[in-house]
């Protein structure tokens, strides 16, 4: 997909990306609290889904949550609700500082591939200059390996007064290459004439390394729920076959269980990465997984049903053979 076209295309949906730095040692308490929030938000009109992204390192300890709604009005109702206010009050002791959020009205869901969400506090009267600077930045980004698209979101009146940019790369390595580049550093120096502060948050797909469709820099990945179903489809028979063959052979040879399990895990990851996912699952289910194919609820349901049927067949086969 052309990156500039991605910038211009809008949508009726609305997304809020919330970033919260959890106090060290309170991670499990935070997960339980976040589950309360997730249960509460499901009761609100227009709610479509949520994703939780843990921190990249223990030192960072910054958790990112994405909430998606059908429209801005429904999202606003959640953000301003007494339910959410009470939950934030209950969880205040879990955070080192006030959670921050970016509201994205329309555009693409910020959950595919590796996504960076950058919010800017634009100086009054410099909005046009800022937009022109963003266009210049986009033209530079397009030259970098793995760039998949960028979207610019204006402030949302009554909810947020910051400008937000969302851009995607196919891998974390390519994203980091851009974030640490000399070209970006020079652009940021120039951009400081137009914005006072900015903040960067990264969101990574859980299994994106196992999914590639298309060629070169525009290769993409399917939604996380399809990735999870597909990985399970390949992982289950791989683990079962290895347990029945390699696992038994290692046990009979006197290899300790913990070492045998490690060897089996190494083999299963290798088989998934270089054989089953790219050569079998991705090809067989490209009609359902490929992000470049037209999407419809009918195709989504049909693909999920076929995968579910494959689960049942595999369970029956291993049930009869073991």
């Amino acid at each position: 997909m052309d990156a500039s076209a991605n910038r211009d295309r809008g949508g009726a949906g609305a997304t809020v990306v919330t970033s919260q730095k959890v106090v060290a040692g309170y991670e499990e308490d935070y997960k339980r609290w976040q589950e309360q929030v997730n249960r509460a938000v499901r009761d609100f009109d227009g709610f479509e889904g949520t994703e939780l992204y843990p921190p990249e390192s223990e030192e960072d300890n910054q958790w990112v949550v994405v909430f998606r709604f059908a429209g801005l009005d429904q999202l606003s109702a959640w953000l301003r609700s007494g339910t959410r206010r009470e939950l934030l009050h209950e969880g205040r002791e879990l955070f080192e500082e006030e959670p921050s959020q970016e509201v994205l009205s329309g555009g693409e869901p910020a959950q595919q591939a590796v996504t960076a969400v950058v919010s800017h506090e634009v100086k009054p009267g410099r909005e046009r200059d800022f937009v022109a600077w963003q266009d210049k930045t986009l033209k530079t980004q397009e030259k970098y390996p793995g760039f998949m698209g960028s979207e610019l979101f204006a402030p949302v009146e009554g909810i947020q007064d910051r400008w937000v940019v969302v851009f995607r790369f196919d891998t974390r390595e390519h994203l980091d290459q851009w974030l640490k580049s000399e070209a970006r550093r020079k652009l940021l120096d120039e951009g400081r004439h137009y914005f006072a502060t900015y903040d960067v948050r990264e969101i990574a797909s859980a299994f994106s390394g196992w999914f590639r469709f298309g060629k070169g820099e525009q290769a993409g990945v399917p939604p996380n729920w399809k990735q999870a179903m597909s990985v399970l489809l390949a992982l289950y028979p791989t683990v079962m076959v290895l347990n029945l063959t390699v696992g038994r052979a290692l046990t009979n040879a006197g290899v300790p269980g913990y070492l045998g399990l490690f060897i089996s895990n190494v083999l299963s990851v290798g088989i998934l990465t270089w054989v089953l996912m790219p050569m079998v699952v991705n090809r067989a289910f490209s009609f359902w997984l490929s992000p470049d194919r037209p999407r419809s609820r009918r195709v989504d349901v049909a693909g999920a049903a076929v995968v579910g049927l494959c689960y049942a067949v595999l369970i029956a086969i291993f049930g009869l053979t073991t």
Side-chain angles (χ1 to χ4, degrees):
M1 180 183 296
D2 182 79
S4 59
N6 197 27
R7 277 281 299 275
D8 295 334
R9 189 179 61 199
T15 302
V16 58
V17 180
T18 303
S19 179
Q20 37 216 9
K21 194 158 188 177
V22 177
V23 175
Y26 283 78
E27 290 82 6
E28 293 304 317
D29 294 318
Y30 164 71
K31 291 178 185 178
R32 286 191 289 270
W33 174 84
Q34 188 62 56
E35 274 301 313
Q36 282 185 270
V37 177
N38 293 347
R39 286 193 296 269
V41 72
R42 293 187 192 115
D43 295 332
F44 280 73
D45 290 340
F47 174 72
E48 293 186 339
T50 181
E51 295 92 33
L52 174 64
Y53 299 90
E56 289 298 310
S57 65
E58 292 183 3
E59 293 77 18
D60 178 30
N61 217 21
Q62 187 145 286
W63 298 68
V64 176
V65 186
V66 177
F67 294 99
R68 289 180 284 107
F69 281 78
L72 185 58
D73 290 342
Q74 291 96 329
L75 174 60
S76 299
W78 158 247
L79 293 177
R80 294 168 174 167
S81 67
T83 301
R84 179 173 178 269
R85 190 161 52 247
E86 289 176 8
L87 286 165
L88 288 174
H89 180 74
E90 290 177 15
R92 67 190 186 284
E93 301 298 331
L94 301 174
F95 308 116
E96 292 186 5
E97 55 194 34
E98 284 290 320
S100 59
Q101 66 184 33
E102 283 77 40
V103 174
L104 317 178
S105 177
E108 292 294 301
Q111 89 274 18
Q112 296 182 11
V114 185
T115 303
V117 180
V118 188
S119 59
H120 306 77
E121 182 185 347
V122 177
K123 296 179 179 179
R126 305 306 300 268
E127 291 81 5
R128 288 189 178 181
D129 295 327
F130 173 78
V131 172
W133 173 77
Q134 279 295 341
D135 287 336
K136 181 179 179 180
T137 300
L138 174 61
K139 291 177 182 177
T140 304
Q141 281 180 311
E142 289 174 333
K143 301 174 184 177
Y144 274 71
F147 178 69
M148 296 177 65
S150 175
E151 296 168 277
L152 176 62
F153 298 85
V156 180
E157 186 177 356
I159 299 178
Q160 168 182 288
D161 56 3
R162 296 170 72 90
W163 289 72
V164 180
V165 179
V166 175
F167 53 84
R168 302 174 180 86
F169 281 79
D170 60 351
T171 65
R172 181 164 296 280
E173 290 73 22
H174 284 149
L175 173 62
D176 288 341
Q177 183 179 341
W178 161 250
L179 292 176
K180 298 174 182 177
S181 67
E182 181 66 16
R184 180 171 180 271
R185 187 191 64 79
K186 290 181 179 178
L187 283 164
L188 285 175
D189 289 341
E190 178 184 338
R192 294 184 195 283
H193 295 295
Y194 317 128
F195 60 82
T197 62
Y198 76 97
D199 193 21
V200 181
R201 291 172 184 81
E202 299 177 22
I203 305 174
S205 170
F207 304 108
S208 59
W210 279 337
F211 297 86
R212 285 291 180 272
F213 296 92
K215 297 181 179 179
E217 298 178 6
Q218 299 304 318
V221 295
N224 283 351
W225 66 274
K226 291 185 181 181
Q227 294 180 42
M229 289 187 69
S230 303
V231 171
L232 178 59
L233 179 61
L235 181 63
Y236 173 62
T238 302
V239 171
M240 287 298 296
V241 170
L242 286 174
N243 283 342
L244 295 172
T245 56
V246 176
R248 287 182 178 179
L250 292 173
T251 300
N252 293 335
V255 176
Y258 63 87
L259 183 57
L261 181 60
F262 174 77
I263 295 173
S264 295
N265 285 343
V266 171
L267 291 174
S268 63
V269 170
I271 291 170
L272 259 67
T273 301
W274 288 290
V275 181
L276 288 183
M277 293 308 302
M279 299 176 65
V280 180
V281 174
N282 286 352
R283 292 181 181 180
F285 291 92
S286 62
F287 75 96
W288 182 61
L289 291 171
S290 176
D292 295 328
R293 298 285 181 90
R295 292 184 184 178
S296 69
R297 183 176 296 275
R298 185 176 180 180
V299 172
D300 283 347
V301 171
V306 173
V307 173
L309 179 61
C310 290
Y311 291 160
V313 170
L314 289 170
I315 290 171
I317 290 174
F318 288 117
L320 293 172
T321 56
T322 56

